[in-house]
Amino acid sequence: MFARDVAPGVHRIAHADVNVYLVEDDDGVTVVDSGFPATFAHVERGLQNIGRRTDDVRAVVLTHAHFDHVGSARRMRRRWQVPIRAHRDERFLAAHPYRYKHERNRLIYPVRYPACIPVMARMVVAGALGVRGVDEVTLFDGGECLDVPGDPLVLHTPGHTFGHCALYLPDRDTVIAGDAIVTLDPYTAARGPQIVSGAATADSAAALASLSAIADTGATHLLPGHGEPWHGGAAAAVELALRAGPS
């Protein structure tokens, strides 16, 4: 699914319950996250939908390097000759996207939360079991503005992964939250603002603590890595996520 202008100059590609965002300005396009292997074709069509070509893409920026966010990054790097950018603490995970720390056994979730099974099935069809990592990653530290279209300010929001980052676009009143806060948890199928369950989160306490950086932006538009965009204010979304707690 493609949705134009989910925030000013930011477009959403939703595929297999994972969101990829296209951030455009006069200098070109930044692709935020890359979904699964099969997401690649959807991103190319999304670029066409906004009248852009693949050679307008200046960079792919990863909020984090789990397999469902890095799935097309290797192909984008090779086909488009663009840098893949990520926090330095994501370097290993970008190359090995299945080797991530998590708090709880993933196998119990389909039994406890059977509503997640269709979500998982869509992910498998999209290539979730065959993701190849990317070794060539341009690293950043967090706290800086990236010199890519949209000039996002990097907010280091560890917890889901150790190098997880959100991207704040102050001139667009928007924060791209990645999986720091989502409106659909793929492992429980629960909807509404929340952190991702312990099946895929390294440290839930740290993830909840990191939400303050997102709330402090005061952004109206919050664009999550999974689920529908939230336009009721980042602070309100964070309050609901804190109330929901870990799962």
Side-chain angles (χ1 to χ4, degrees):
M1 183 190 76
F2 175 79
R4 188 167 191 147
D5 288 313
V6 292
V10 184
H11 318 290
R12 176 187 176 218
I13 299 160
H15 177 233
D17 297 295
V18 179
N19 295 324
V20 173
Y21 295 101
L22 307 178
V23 181
E24 64 170 337
D25 65 17
D26 292 340
D27 295 326
V29 178
T30 299
V31 177
V32 179
D33 290 331
S34 71
F36 296 106
T39 305
F40 183 83
H42 294 270
V43 175
E44 289 196 317
R45 283 196 293 272
L47 290 166
Q48 293 172 4
N49 286 339
I50 61 173
R52 297 283 194 164
R53 301 180 303 180
T54 56
D55 58 9
D56 290 320
V57 176
R58 302 289 178 256
V60 177
V61 179
L62 303 177
T63 60
H64 64 298
H66 278 163
F67 64 90
D68 54 335
H69 293 258
V70 77
S72 290
R74 183 187 183 95
R75 193 173 180 188
M76 291 173 179
R77 166 74 180 162
R78 294 188 171 187
R79 289 281 190 90
W80 302 347
Q81 295 296 299
V82 296
I84 309 300
R85 306 198 63 177
H87 190 274
R88 64 179 56 258
D89 289 341
E90 296 296 284
R91 183 173 189 171
F92 176 83
L93 189 56
H96 309 280
Y98 298 108
R99 295 174 64 179
Y100 56 89
K101 184 178 178 183
H102 52 94
E103 295 175 319
R104 297 189 178 182
N105 187 336
R106 287 163 288 190
L107 297 179
I108 69 172
Y109 281 81
V111 176
R112 186 173 296 175
Y113 304 100
C116 80
I117 294 173
V119 178
M120 297 301 168
R122 287 190 288 271
M123 291 183 171
V124 169
V125 170
L129 302 181
V131 172
R132 298 183 68 188
V134 57
D135 292 310
E136 298 174 276
V137 180
T138 302
L139 304 175
F140 51 75
D141 293 310
E144 69 265 50
C145 282
L146 299 182
D147 185 19
V148 299
D151 299 314
L153 173 64
V154 176
L155 306 177
H156 186 208
T157 49
H160 184 60
T161 65
F162 298 114
H164 189 286
C165 290
L167 303 176
Y168 177 39
L169 306 169
D171 61 331
R172 304 167 195 235
D173 197 19
T174 297
V175 60
I176 301 176
D179 285 6
I181 181 170
V182 297
T183 57
L184 167 68
D185 184 344
Y187 292 90
T188 66
R191 296 188 181 272
Q194 61 197 293
I195 63 169
V196 177
S197 71
T201 291
D203 185 333
S204 291
L208 290 168
S210 286
L211 294 180
S212 61
I214 291 174
D216 288 347
T217 66
T220 297
H221 311 289
L222 185 145
L223 307 181
H226 303 274
E228 295 295 318
W230 174 272
H231 302 292
V238 165
E239 183 179 350
L240 289 170
L242 291 172
R243 194 177 303 164
S247 62

